[in-house]
Structures are given as C-alpha cells and as structure tokens.
Amino acid sequence: AQKVTQAQTEISVVEKEDVTLDCVYETRDTTYYLFWYKQPPSGELVFLIRRNSFDEQNEISGRYSWNFQKSTSSFNFTITASQVVDSAVYFCALSVAGTASKLTFGTGTRLQVTL
Amino acid sequence: NAGVTQTPKFRILKIGQSMTLQCTQDMNHNYMYWYRQDPGMGLKLIYYSVGAGITDKGEVPNGYNVSRSTTEDFPLRLELAAPSQTSVYFCASSSRLAGAFEQYFGPGTRLTVT
C-alpha cells in the first residue's frame, strides 16, 4: 500500500518570505509518480507538477521549485518570495505504475501568506 | 474545451434520499475517477474507470455506485444518503497516453446530508 505524509498542517508566512512544504511518501514499487496540487480558497484542484521515480532532477518554474530525493522518500515544494495569491491548501500525491493512475493523497498543508 | 464539469455544485439531501452526481469530460480521456474530500483530510478514491463499461472500487466505495456507458460521462450514485456522506466530491480524468498521468479535476460538488 502507498502512503503520503504531509506533516505540516498549517504554515503562516509574511509576503516575500520563502516557504517549503514537506512531503514524504511510502511505496514498495520502483516505478511511481509524484504530484503536487494546489487548492485555492475557491475550492478547485490545480495540477502543479508531476515527477517520475526515475528522474531525480530538481525542477524550477518561476517562484516554484521542487526537490525530489529518493534516498529520503521526499518530494518537497518551495515557494520563493511568497505572495498573497499563494495562499491555498497544497496536496502532495502519489500514483504507482500499472494502477490506472490512481492517486493517493496526503492530508494537505494550508499555506497562509499575509501582508 | 470545458475540461471536467460536475453538476450540481451544491446539494442538500435528507437522510435516506438518493441522488446522482454528474460528471462529464470533453478531453477524450480514458480514465475517470471519483474522490471525496472531508474537512482536514486529503482526497480519498471512491470509484474509478479505465474505459467505457469498466469500473472498479477505490478505497471508500461503500454507499456509492457508478456506471460508465460512454467515454465522456461517469455519474456517481448515492443510495440511501447518510450523514457520513456529507463531503465535497470531485470527479477527475486522465489520459492513458504515455507520459500523461496527471489527473484533471472538476470544480467539485458540495453535498450535505441532514
């Protein structure tokens, strides 16, 4: 069985601070995919990134960056120079190859960015 | 493209009533899913489908039924609604094309059972 743990329930930062959201996963499979989704106050789920288990390169997209480390089973998400619009719940999720892309979600981290 | 659409957006049911949550996608995705999101929790998979005519249970299927007669539609049926089914329900779809595993979600249906 797969498991995703997001130990940080809520994080509050002041605008322009950097913030890292932690994600730790468990799986016995060797081929799997990791995801981050954003859920703003409006409630929809927005796909942010997918990472394959065989690609440990870090990724940067604007103010967002992701650090994937298989050695520690972690897939952390950093927002640089946070903005109020980043306020949302962020979910980390995992799917295993050959399982119809079913997602196992973490419980989410609520990020509050204030002025 | 509208993506994944869900109706209704909100619904209040009395205990014991039944209803169907509608989900339609226009991306020609083979895979479709139903999740529920309870407060403070992540999403949990209720049912999923890998193509028309094929459905299977997820982690929390009790009290629900699904059907998939077309590629586009994946309705979720609640029979004999119970307060424990109060939740936000999300439908999602994804493609089985290689390298395209991310799921795209509908806007959700907020259901209250009283």
Side-chain angles (χ1 to χ4, degrees), chain A residues 22-53:
Chain A
D22 297 333
C23 173
V24 174
Y25 63 93
E26 295 176 31
T27 180
R28 293 185 178 180
D29 293 86
T30 56
T31 303
Y32 52 89
Y33 307 90
L34 295 163
F35 304 82
W36 277 95
Y37 283 86
K38 175 182 180 180
Q39 187 175 44
S42 50
E44 74 272 23
L45 282 149
V46 179
F47 165 74
L48 294 178
I49 190 172
R50 169 178 53 88
R51 214 82 189 112
N52 306 331
S53 57

Side-chain angles (χ1 to χ4, degrees), chain A residues 12-19 81-84 111-115:
Chain A
S12 291
V13 299
V14 176
E15 205 177 38
K16 297 182 185 171
E17 284 185 12
D18 299 347
V19 59
S82 60
Q83 300 177 1
V84 171
L111 174 64
Q112 186 72 41
V113 182
T114 56
L115 293 171

Side-chain angles (χ1 to χ4, degrees), chain A residues 33 35 37 39 43-45 47 50 52 91 95 99-103 105-108, chain B residues 31 33 35 37 40-43 45 48 50 90 94 99-105 107:
Chain A
Y33 307 90
F35 304 82
Y37 283 86
Q39 187 175 44
E44 74 272 23
L45 282 149
F47 165 74
R50 169 178 53 88
N52 306 331
F91 290 99
S95 74
T99 63
S101 303
K102 294 182 291 182
L103 289 173
F105 282 86
T107 51
Chain B
Y31 295 166
Y33 314 83
Y35 294 88
Q37 182 181 19
M41 305 294 289
L43 282 71
L45 183 65
Y48 68 101
V50 299
F90 288 96
S94 70
F101 302 101
E102 52 267 25
Q103 295 184 16
Y104 294 91
F105 285 81

Side-chain angles (χ1 to χ4, degrees), chain A residues 28-79:
Chain A
R28 293 185 178 180
D29 293 86
T30 56
T31 303
Y32 52 89
Y33 307 90
L34 295 163
F35 304 82
W36 277 95
Y37 283 86
K38 175 182 180 180
Q39 187 175 44
S42 50
E44 74 272 23
L45 282 149
V46 179
F47 165 74
L48 294 178
I49 190 172
R50 169 178 53 88
R51 214 82 189 112
N52 306 331
S53 57
F54 43 87
D55 181 3
E56 281 193 78
Q57 278 193 348
N58 291 331
E59 183 152 340
I60 299 174
S61 177
R63 297 184 296 107
Y64 295 172
S65 61
W66 291 270
N67 181 2
F68 176 28
Q69 291 196 337
K70 287 176 78 169
S71 60
T72 56
S73 297
S74 64
F75 185 43
N76 296 337
F77 173 27
T78 297
I79 302 174

Side-chain angles (χ1 to χ4, degrees), chain A residues 39 43-45, chain B residues 4-11 13 19-23 33-38 43-47 60-66 76-79 81-92 105-113:
Chain A
Q39 187 175 44
E44 74 272 23
L45 282 149
Chain B
V4 180
T5 57
Q6 292 182 237
T7 57
K9 284 187 169 45
F10 304 93
R11 183 73 186 267
L13 278 183
M19 76 164 294
T20 299
L21 281 65
Q22 302 291 345
C23 174
Y33 314 83
W34 275 105
Y35 294 88
R36 58 177 287 172
Q37 182 181 19
D38 299 323
L43 282 71
K44 292 191 184 296
L45 183 65
I46 305 171
Y47 270 96
V60 290
N62 291 345
Y64 307 94
N65 275 301
V66 293
L76 177 72
R77 177 86 178 157
L78 279 71
E79 305 282 1
S84 61
Q85 293 178 304
T86 294
S87 189
V88 181
Y89 291 85
F90 288 96
C91 179
F105 285 81
T109 294
R110 185 175 295 274
L111 176 68
T112 301
V113 182

